[in-house]
Each structure stands twice: as structure tokens, then as C-alpha cells.
Amino acid sequence: MNSFIGPKGLATAAVLSLLTSAAFAQEVPAGYPADYSAIIEAAKKEGAVSVYTSTDSEQSQKLQDAFTKKYGIKIAYNDLGTNGAYNQVISEAAAGQTTADVVWSSAMDLQMTLVQDGYADEYASPEAGKLPSWANYKNVLYATTVEPIGVIFNTKALTEDKLPKTYADMITFLKDNKSTLQGKVATFDPEKSGSGFLHHSNDARNRKDFWDLAKAMGDDGAKIYSSSGGMKETVVSGENVIAINIIGSYALKWAKESPNLGVHFATDYTPAFSRLIMKTKEAPHPNAAKLFIDFMLSAEGQSLLSESGLPSVREDVTAGLNIKTLNARVGGGLKPIAVDEGVLEYMDQMKRVQFLNDWKAALGR
């Protein structure tokens, strides 16, 4: 039986079709290629994106919620830690059972290793042009944050005006206050912490006096920890009075919550690491992976991360701190670690072993 649609019905159908097309077109962000709508449609059909990460869900929850609300795509969020995410990607690939769509980690050296070893897929994000040149490695690995590395201190034991203004002054400060600081200095353990290894080895690459700092910490009986949180608790309690080379984005938040905790940065040299994101080579949800990366790099996604305490790598984000306002906050000496092969220097097994041996010797271990 044939059905007949009159002129009025045809007109109504045409209007509905136009409205649907217009609504769908509005989903494509301004400045994106027109055919980006195909990625959105395919990603929605995939319906999910799996994220392997080292970032606490609390710090990314706003971003996750906004992404799911906007696209209706569920996020399988797996906080595996830096080493855990790296090892899981390798083991799954070896078994031919890749689960991760994207890997988002603060271990810049491990992320670059995954890229060099062929576990990542090139994807030219439409947002790439909004990032600093150092934040994009060949459209494969993108910096999503810029997080300073600094010092926290117990404000009941030390006042900021007494703290050293420059990196070199910190070495003198540790030497001159040896009796007061003995057994009360904390820092990362580079053998047990991926972040700690990155922080210390980056200083070793960029500062001729890094080993002087390490020896000064060792002479003060410095204690080593596997996490920033562990150091924070000891400084808040007064067990330690200062922690060096700690994650500054965490520290800025903690200082607002703990009245006896201060955060300090050297005005001449404040290195900053980034949480890097990549799409895996065999991503089971490739379009959702692209959509997630783009959303995280967008002004909206960057604002949500910055509001959650992870400073934006972009200059046009006004929520929280962006790379420009962060530089002003730390005193003008912000030195982001470039997303390039340089982070691999100490991933060479012989150099890594030598570095750790030198570290132990400097600390008197």
C-alpha cells in the first residue's frame, strides 16, 4: 500500500530535516573543518572512550562530565599511575588486545618512549595551532597542562622572605642552614617515582649545579618520597620543614587549604612539566579518541582543567592559571620542558643507572 505525503507534509519534513542538520552542524566547533562532523558522528556511534592516565579523577572530573554531557560518550577512566599506564599499554599491545584509546600521563619521558616505540598514532588536532610550538610533538603527542616544579615549606618553621630567590641561592641556603634543616628536608625518590625521575633528570640536563643541589640536600639528611602527597603531609605536620622539586600545581592548591603550608618558586628558574596525551595506534574507539583529545585541548576543556588546578598550556584561557599568568605567579622564570626527544636522554639504560648511582652517592645512600 502506497502512502501519500501532500505538499504540507513535504514542507514539514523539509523543515525538520533542515533543523536537524543545523543542530548537528552547530556541534562542529568554530574554525574546525566542515567534515569534522563525520568524526563526531562516528565517535557517538562508538559510544565510549578509554583513558589510561596518571591524573586523579578529581582533577579531571569537570572535564569528563562536560565531555559526556556534550557528546553522550561514556569515559572509561583508568588511573593507573605513570608506570602502570606505560606498562599496561605495552603488555596489551603484545597480546594484541589494546584497550586504551588515549594515554594521558605526566611522565613525559615514558610518553615519548611509547611514541618512539610505535605505540602512538599521528593525529593533527584542529586545536594544535592554539598551542605553543614546544607543546606539540609531530601531531602525535600534545601537552595539555603546564605545571611548575617548586618548593613547599612549613610557614611556622620558615617564612617566605627567608627563602632563597634563585636556584643557586637554594644550594647556599641548604648549606648555611644545615643545623636547622638536618633531617627536615624532603624530595622525590627518582627510583620509585616517574615524576621524581623526570624532575631531577630535567634539572641535571639543564643545570650544571644540579649535583651541587643534590649533595646539599644529602648533607642535610634529606628524606626521599614516592609522591607529592606524602611530602605534603610531612611538611604540614612539621616532620619536614621544606620539600624540594615538588609538583607546583598541587602545591598551589594545598597552600590555599593548609594555613601552615607555603609554596615557593625560584624567580630565575622554575621548570614546568606537562601532562601529555596521545592516541594509541590500535585504539578500539579511534574517533572518540580524537574527539576527546580535541575537547581536552580546546578552550573549553582547558578552562575546565585549569579550574581544577591544572594550569592551561594556552594563553587565551581565563579560568584559573594559564601559561602566561602562571609565569607571572612564579616570578618570571618559567621554563616548560619541551615535548621533544630531549626527555629521552636518561631513558637510555646505562645513563639511567648512572644517574641513579650518582643520585645515591650525592645523598649519601
Side-chain angles (χ1 to χ4, degrees):
M1 178 178 176
N2 294 328
S3 59
F4 174 74
I5 300 176
K8 185 176 181 180
L10 287 171
T12 302
V15 169
L16 288 173
S17 177
L18 286 171
L19 289 173
T20 301
S21 299
F24 187 76
Q26 286 175 358
E27 290 186 349
V28 178
Y32 278 40
D35 60 0
Y36 190 79
S37 59
I39 292 179
I40 297 176
E41 185 177 9
K44 286 183 173 181
K45 287 180 180 177
E46 291 168 356
V49 62
S50 175
V51 181
Y52 282 8
T53 186
S54 62
T55 303
D56 295 341
S57 60
E58 178 185 354
Q59 294 174 296
S60 65
Q61 198 61 57
K62 285 185 177 182
L63 178 134
Q64 292 184 62
D65 292 344
F67 178 79
T68 297
K69 182 179 180 180
K70 187 169 187 174
Y71 296 113
I73 296 172
K74 295 179 180 178
I75 299 173
Y77 196 83
N78 303 278
D79 180 3
L80 305 174
T82 52
N83 293 334
Y86 172 80
N87 291 328
Q88 190 73 7
V89 168
I90 292 174
S91 62
E92 287 182 2
Q97 297 178 336
T98 296
T99 300
D101 293 305
V102 299
V103 186
W104 184 39
S105 173
S106 58
M108 299 177 71
D109 43 11
L110 294 180
Q111 289 286 80
M112 184 61 73
T113 299
L114 288 176
V115 170
Q116 296 297 316
D117 291 346
Y119 295 98
D121 199 21
E122 180 179 351
Y123 172 58
S125 171
E127 298 289 349
K130 303 295 179 62
L131 306 179
S133 58
W134 61 262
N136 175 6
Y137 180 75
K138 299 181 178 180
N139 290 334
V140 178
L141 199 55
Y142 296 101
T144 65
T145 66
V146 56
E147 301 177 56
I149 300 168
V151 168
I152 56 174
F153 61 97
N154 185 297
T155 56
K156 293 182 179 178
L158 295 171
T159 56
E160 188 161 14
D161 63 309
K162 303 294 184 186
L163 290 172
K165 299 294 187 286
T166 69
Y167 188 98
D169 288 342
M170 177 61 78
I171 299 169
T172 303
F173 175 79
L174 292 172
K175 290 179 177 179
D176 291 348
N177 294 278
K178 185 176 178 180
S179 58
T180 305
L181 297 175
Q182 190 64 216
K184 293 184 177 295
V185 176
T187 194
F188 264 124
D189 181 347
E191 196 163 21
K192 294 182 179 178
S193 166
S195 295
F197 186 84
L198 175 68
H199 295 187
H200 294 323
S201 61
N202 176 67
D203 279 0
R205 283 198 297 132
N206 291 283
R207 300 284 313 199
K208 292 181 179 179
D209 52 358
F210 168 72
W211 292 110
D212 294 326
L213 176 67
K215 189 174 186 309
M217 288 193 286
D219 289 344
D220 284 357
K223 290 173 281 187
I224 52 178
Y225 297 81
S226 61
S227 71
S228 289
M231 285 186 270
K232 172 216 175 186
E233 295 303 321
T234 65
V235 174
V236 169
S237 69
E239 176 188 340
N240 292 312
V241 299
I242 190 169
I244 298 170
N245 264 6
I246 201 164
I247 296 176
S249 53
Y250 293 171
L252 289 167
K253 180 181 178 182
W254 293 336
K256 294 177 182 178
E257 301 168 348
S258 303
N260 64 327
L261 190 70
V263 58
H264 179 73
F265 302 99
T267 56
D268 66 327
Y269 173 76
T270 297
F273 71 93
S274 300
R275 294 169 200 268
L276 306 183
I277 194 164
M278 55 168 254
K279 174 183 172 292
T280 61
K281 182 74 97 176
E282 304 297 333
H285 309 102
N287 293 287
K290 294 174 182 178
L291 200 62
F292 186 77
I293 290 172
D294 294 336
F295 185 73
M296 184 175 282
L297 295 177
S298 71
E300 181 181 359
Q302 287 285 292
S303 294
L304 293 167
L305 288 177
S306 190
E307 287 173 5
S308 302
L310 301 178
S312 173
V313 74
R314 295 173 57 143
E315 288 191 8
D316 60 347
V317 169
T318 56
L321 291 167
N322 63 33
I323 189 170
K324 191 173 182 179
T325 56
L326 176 64
N327 185 43
R329 172 63 182 83
V330 303
L334 193 69
K335 301 288 190 298
I337 300 172
V339 187
D340 60 26
E341 292 92 342
V343 297
L344 295 176
E345 180 175 345
Y346 286 99
M347 296 304 285
D348 174 84
Q349 191 58 29
M350 289 184 65
K351 283 193 173 184
R352 185 182 181 88
V353 170
Q354 186 62 56
F355 177 87
L356 292 173
N357 286 339
D358 290 344
W359 170 259
K360 290 174 183 176
L363 263 69
R365 298 296 193 268

